Amino acid sequence: MKKQILGATVIFFVTLAFLLVLNDITTNGNQEPKQNTVEVYETNEQPSIATVDEAQ
């Protein structure tokens, strides 16, 4: 009885690890980090409106 419970536990964790690795491989991990751009103006050159270059 102990060997059956131990075997079932091992099979469960091996299956769980396999599914986690498979999920990690299939997700799109090649996304580039989002970079925000900042424009610097002199104090007398500030635009009258704010602009944000960020895709939604």
Side-chain angles (χ1 to χ4, degrees):
M1 181 75 173
K2 264 188 175 179
K3 286 187 178 183
Q4 290 176 346
I5 294 174
L6 181 62
T9 304
V10 168
I11 290 172
F12 172 76
F13 282 114
V14 167
T15 305
L16 182 65
F18 174 74
L19 291 175
L20 287 173
V21 168
L22 186 65
N23 184 32
D24 192 34
I25 290 172
T26 57
T27 55
N28 189 3
N30 294 333
Q31 295 176 350
E32 294 184 15
K34 184 186 280 187
Q35 295 180 352
N36 294 334
T37 57
V38 178
E39 296 181 17
V40 179
Y41 295 97
E42 296 293 329
T43 54
N44 56 358
E45 295 179 359
Q46 285 185 335
S48 59
I49 60 170
T51 57
V52 178
D53 295 332
E54 186 172 310
Q56 293 290 327

